[in-house]
Amino acid sequence: MNPIATLLDPKTKRRLIVGAGVFGVLALAYRFLYPVVFDAYVGKTNAPLTYESSQTLTEAEFEALAQSLSEEARRLKAESVVAEDQDPFARQVKVEMLMNTESFIRDSQPSHIKYFREAGIRQYEGPKTCLTCHATIEVDHPDGTRSTVDTLDDLVNSVHFKFQSSAGGFSTYGYDGRQVNAGPHKIPVGKIDRACGIPGSFTWTGWAALVASRPEHVEEGEVVLRSEGCGQCHIGGNYQPATEKMMPVGDVPSMAKEGIDCLICHARDYDMNQRVVIRDEYGLRWDQDRSLRAALTVGPISSETCLRCHQHNMGGDVYEHNAAAQALGYKHQRLLHRGAKRGNPFSPEDDAHAAAGIQCTDCHRPEGHKIPRGRMGVDLVANDLPDKEVSCETCHTRAPHNNSRDKALLNGHIARLACETCHIPRLEDNNVVLRDWVHPTWDAEEGIWEPTDVYRSGEPGKGFTYLWFNGNGTFLANALGNNPNGADTYDPLMQQVARIDDPEIIAAVRAKAIELKAQYPDIDVERYVQMATDPLSQLSPEMLERRRAMIQANLRAAMNDGESRIYPFKLFNAMMYEDMSNQGPFGAMILPFDYTTYYETGDTRAAVKRAIQDPIVRRMYQEPFKLYMMDEFMAYFGVSGGWKTIYPLVDGQLVNVEPHWMRQMGTLMVNHGIQRQGHDCADCHAPNGIMDFELLGYTPERIAELQDPELLRQPPVNETMANAETPAPSVP
């Protein structure tokens, strides 16, 4: 039959019309109905966003601002050129002269002044303004090719916006032995759905909060509202994280995309005092600097812009060179977190690369809005470019010590030691090792209850340790690797990260437990010390044996994979509430806290009750979430039998919920805080050195060689870092 005649057949035409109609209805439902249903299902809000700092300037105001910014830029450039070691008056005269030269006036003015002036832009309105000129961008790829991408789509699908990924590329392994998302059933994992460091809440339930603090310096009864929540360090400006991106279908609403904070990354003059929680008729969200002043200073990304957020988890909030933490807000000031997550700041004062003027993006080279973390990782933080290397060797090669007369010896260490092992001699003193979220402490200065830091240290062997690492990690952030001798005696998940033997640390934990008992009489001091320093003591004999068997059967292959070297790892463990219906040999499901309840009352059980009533946590305990992701999540967690949908709150009471320390310490990578001068020989090779060669899996014979007194009679071999072009012999 003629195909054309078939198409003209009335029955066929009706089928086509009906099919097109059904398709159209489905498309409309997906476009308009699905977002409404989804918001109702997860209990989240999307609404039009406005920002007080987004003001329209008159022509006169615009030109005055342009002149001010131009003069400021010229001054900064001139001051960087004129030497400081001269008479201050003479230096000032030279600076003024340079500022007024034609080339300085022409070349120093922020480029966007011209663009905004010519385009008639007198108000910055977020992505809408940026996309006027930057609807697409050119992306350079490592193979030398270029591609044109949609700017907004590129950004919305980056980890910096959505915080998680359902793709592969994770270097982490589940305790069931499978690489995360390497199989057909991929689940969304990343920061959006994991317990975060302070004070242990999900991004879902802890995005934005206003805390009524009562600091000691204000009049009795006076309340000071403070800002807190995960959203302070993320670029989405809506009332919650991009939960839509966790689903297999659906997109972030356009109104949420308009809340993206482009300027926090791209503006030189971004006012962090605008970065506070505000309340409007729809709920709580994070404010941002949308001033035309900030928009006119857009330029290349610098370390300063990256560190507005990232110094928070590297140097910490109370690190004296954390510039963002010096601008806490004009109102609703952000809460300072006293303990550092990693304690390895990137700043000229404490990092050799920062002091040399190296920028974050010199190593973490972006492709559009995708920024690489590197191929190695021990945690579940999603990675936009998992195949892109970020390492010391990229610049320094594997023979970096060419300025030393002992270069053969030093370069030989590279076969067994990572650069960071020698060149990060210590972390910051406020590096948190043990934190108790269950028994908070009143902070009179801040006027809030805060998690109790049971132990902090930046010393090797105390605040961080040394482990073999091949680039793989476990589902709960434990470094995987093995001594190159291949022996099974190296067993960190039963030893280094599951036990604290240091008498000084044990004494410090005991002292803190005694202090806490005065406030919490139910604390059994000796049991508290045992659980904190020997977390495996919380497991039954049967569970302990299952753990040993799972490590041997499921993780040994990942530990023996590829090349392992000794790296430094920051240690961290915490006491939190857990859902004991979902437990296994490596721990149980951690439950979130409600920020406001936690900080204001110190009633941690009430904070858990409040948080788990959040609609999206309720959804976790229902069948669709179980099938979509939670069964797989638990399998990676090492919990057999799938996710148990037994909701842990019945008639207002927590059911089968217990406080526990995690069954092992987390081991977080530390790669910054690099010092030019590293450890001396004796630091590692003395009998009481920082390296525990026995726990690292060395034989007694090899340990005797590594601690040979003859090694320590050699002159010091500390050298500064330098590039090299040729390899050197390895130390076996």
Side-chain angles (χ1 to χ4, degrees):
M1 182 181 292
N2 189 326
I4 298 177
T6 302
L7 288 175
L8 295 176
D9 178 81
K11 187 179 294 186
T12 302
K13 288 174 66 176
R14 282 196 299 272
R15 288 172 180 167
L16 288 174
I17 292 171
V18 170
V22 170
F23 179 81
V25 169
L26 291 174
L28 289 172
Y30 174 75
R31 176 71 176 82
F32 296 105
L33 184 60
Y34 173 80
V36 176
V37 173
F38 179 82
D39 284 355
Y41 179 71
V42 298
K44 299 303 177 185
T45 300
N46 284 293
L49 304 169
T50 59
Y51 296 90
E52 191 175 318
S53 58
S54 177
Q55 298 291 322
T56 302
L57 300 189
T58 65
E59 288 299 317
E61 290 170 333
F62 177 89
E63 293 303 332
L65 175 60
Q67 182 178 346
S68 172
L69 291 172
S70 178
E71 183 176 334
E72 181 181 313
R74 299 201 315 270
R75 181 174 296 280
L76 288 173
K77 182 177 179 180
E79 288 177 343
S80 70
V81 171
V82 180
E84 295 183 13
D85 56 343
Q86 56 185 293
D87 178 77
F89 178 74
R91 183 173 187 271
Q92 182 60 31
V93 171
K94 293 176 183 178
V95 167
E96 296 288 348
M97 289 173 60
L98 278 176
M99 285 178 60
N100 292 297
T101 59
E102 183 177 345
S103 62
F104 265 61
I105 295 173
R106 181 188 66 238
D107 299 336
S108 300
Q109 178 173 275
S111 60
H112 279 66
I113 291 177
K114 175 185 176 183
Y115 302 148
F116 278 38
R117 180 185 287 127
E118 293 177 351
I121 298 172
R122 300 297 181 264
Q123 179 187 17
Y124 178 73
E125 300 179 89
K128 173 184 175 182
T129 301
C130 299
L131 295 173
T132 302
C133 297
H134 303 289
T136 61
I137 55 173
E138 295 290 322
V139 177
D140 293 313
H141 301 288
D143 61 3
T145 61
R146 302 190 83 193
S147 61
T148 301
V149 301
D150 180 277
T151 304
L152 189 58
D153 182 69
D154 185 55
L155 176 57
V156 167
N157 287 291
S158 72
V159 167
H160 272 79
F161 179 74
K162 63 181 183 177
F163 321 132
Q164 49 78 30
S165 175
S166 300
F170 286 94
S171 56
T172 45
Y173 284 76
Y175 296 107
D176 60 352
R178 294 179 302 148
Q179 189 174 7
V180 173
N181 282 358
H185 188 176
K186 294 175 170 47
I187 61 173
V189 282
K191 283 194 172 184
I192 198 170
D193 60 349
R194 73 174 192 170
C196 191
I198 303 165
S201 191
F202 296 158
T203 312
W204 289 324
T205 62
W207 183 251
L210 283 175
V211 177
S213 69
R214 294 170 175 81
E216 60 183 357
H217 62 270
V218 302
E219 293 184 14
E220 186 174 351
E222 184 178 347
V223 168
V224 179
L225 290 179
R226 304 292 297 277
S227 299
E228 176 62 319
C230 310
Q232 68 174 293
C233 281
H234 294 294
I235 63 173
N238 209 22
Y239 301 89
Q240 72 279 325
T243 311
E244 296 88 351
K245 283 294 178 181
M246 291 191 65
M247 301 299 118
V249 296
D251 192 11
V252 180
S254 58
M255 63 185 71
K257 293 177 182 178
E258 280 299 317
I260 293 172
D261 192 352
C262 305
L263 298 184
I264 196 170
C265 295
H266 290 281
R268 187 196 68 202
D269 288 0
Y270 185 94
D271 188 357
M272 285 297 292
N273 285 304
Q274 301 280 2
R275 195 78 175 174
V276 295
V277 173
I278 55 176
R279 185 191 300 275
D280 62 22
E281 60 183 302
Y282 301 103
L284 296 173
R285 59 186 172 92
W286 284 88
D287 201 359
Q288 53 190 257
D289 184 1
R290 290 205 166 185
S291 66
L292 202 58
R293 176 184 180 86
L296 290 175
T297 65
V298 164
I301 289 177
S302 67
S303 293
E304 178 187 354
T305 57
C306 297
L307 293 173
R308 287 169 184 160
C309 291
H310 286 284
Q311 196 69 277
H312 168 83
N313 73 306
M314 295 198 307
D317 283 353
V318 297
Y319 175 59
E320 62 179 326
H321 304 295
N322 185 341
Q326 311 306 315
L328 294 176
Y330 297 118
K331 62 178 181 179
H332 304 166
Q333 290 195 334
R334 301 188 304 280
L335 285 171
L336 287 176
H337 304 146
R338 297 179 182 277
K341 184 175 181 180
R342 279 182 169 82
N344 65 331
F346 187 75
S347 73
E349 292 78 11
D350 290 291
D351 184 279
H353 296 102
I358 293 174
Q359 301 295 305
C360 299
T361 51
D362 288 329
C363 296
H364 301 272
R365 298 181 64 183
E367 294 181 30
H369 289 95
K370 309 295 195 299
I371 301 177
R373 297 181 66 227
R375 295 176 181 173
M376 295 183 166
V378 296
D379 56 26
L380 279 173
V381 176
N383 190 352
D384 278 328
L385 302 169
D387 296 326
K388 195 166 183 177
E389 184 176 1
V390 179
S391 69
C392 303
E393 288 90 340
T394 303
C395 294
H396 291 286
T397 77
R398 296 194 69 165
H401 300 95
N402 278 1
N403 287 347
S404 170
R405 60 186 177 83
D406 298 305
K407 61 184 179 182
L409 176 64
L410 290 171
N411 287 336
H413 278 67
I414 302 299
R416 295 291 181 264
L417 299 180
C419 303
E420 296 95 327
T421 303
C422 192
H423 287 282
I424 303 180
R426 58 171 290 116
L427 304 178
E428 294 291 297
D429 290 336
N430 65 339
N431 170 53
V432 181
V433 182
L434 299 174
R435 169 169 284 164
D436 182 346
W437 278 315
V438 175
H439 305 98
T441 304
W442 176 253
D443 182 337
E445 181 182 353
E446 295 279 4
I448 56 170
W449 292 90
E450 63 182 10
T452 300
D453 285 347
V454 175
Y455 185 72
R456 296 177 185 168
S457 175
E459 295 294 326
K462 298 180 185 293
F464 66 109
T465 193
Y466 301 97
L467 301 169
W468 291 104
F469 183 49
N470 58 16
N472 299 326
T474 73
F475 195 72
L476 290 176
N478 307 119
L480 295 177
N482 198 6
N483 190 303
N485 63 25
D488 287 355
T489 52
Y490 177 68
D491 197 6
L493 278 166
M494 296 299 296
Q495 298 181 74
Q496 290 101 313
V497 303
R499 184 184 308 139
I500 295 175
D501 296 322
D502 189 309
E504 290 185 7
I505 301 178
I506 294 173
V509 173
R510 181 172 286 106
K512 181 59 73 171
I514 293 171
E515 179 184 321
L516 284 172
K517 186 175 177 63
Q519 184 178 341
Y520 301 97
D522 291 342
I523 288 178
D524 179 332
V525 171
E526 292 309 311
R527 178 59 179 154
Y528 187 97
V529 174
Q530 183 186 33
M531 289 190 298
T533 60
D534 182 14
L536 296 188
S537 66
Q538 302 168 107
L539 295 178
S540 67
E542 295 77 16
M543 199 73 84
L544 200 59
E545 188 53 42
R546 280 181 58 196
R547 179 187 176 98
R548 289 193 184 96
M550 289 175 71
I551 292 171
Q552 193 63 27
N554 300 338
L555 295 179
R556 275 292 163 187
M559 292 174 68
N560 290 323
D561 181 45
E563 176 192 53
S564 291
R565 291 193 288 166
I566 297 172
Y567 278 78
F569 286 94
K570 174 253 164 68
L571 297 170
F572 178 74
N573 202 355
M575 189 181 200
M576 294 175 284
Y577 285 103
E578 296 177 334
D579 171 11
M580 302 306 290
S581 298
N582 289 287
Q583 65 166 321
F586 300 91
M589 183 67 187
I590 299 165
L591 295 175
F593 294 110
D594 174 71
Y595 282 99
T596 303
T597 305
Y598 189 100
Y599 283 119
E600 291 181 358
T601 71
D603 187 338
T604 54
R605 293 184 70 85
V608 172
K609 292 177 185 178
R610 178 76 177 270
I612 64 177
Q613 291 181 68
D614 188 283
I616 200 164
V617 179
R618 287 180 175 272
R619 300 303 182 197
M620 285 172 55
Y621 284 92
Q622 295 174 357
E623 199 68 19
F625 252 73
K626 169 183 166 65
L627 297 175
Y628 176 49
M629 65 174 289
M630 295 308 295
D631 279 347
E632 193 79 353
F633 191 89
M634 285 295 105
Y636 290 140
F637 207 153
V639 177
S640 59
W643 172 245
K644 313 298 188 302
T645 57
I646 305 170
Y647 187 58
L649 185 66
V650 178
D651 296 329
Q653 299 301 315
L654 294 174
V655 177
N656 208 17
V657 171
E658 298 176 5
H660 286 281
W661 291 87
M662 292 187 290
R663 311 313 182 270
Q664 60 274 319
M665 288 180 281
T667 60
L668 307 182
M669 290 190 75
V670 284
N671 309 100
H672 302 94
I674 299 291
Q675 303 299 308
R676 294 184 67 85
Q677 184 157 310
H679 285 296
D680 285 330
C681 297
D683 291 341
C684 296
H685 292 284
N688 61 345
I690 60 177
M691 291 280 179
D692 190 325
F693 293 117
E694 182 179 0
L695 285 179
L696 285 168
Y698 284 104
T699 64
E701 296 77 18
R702 183 62 178 137
I703 293 172
E705 293 174 356
L706 292 169
Q707 295 179 342
D708 186 345
E710 185 64 30
L711 285 174
L712 305 183
R713 283 194 284 271
Q714 300 294 326
V717 293
N718 270 331
E719 301 294 337
T720 58
M721 296 179 295
N723 261 336
E725 296 180 357
T726 55
S730 296
V731 174

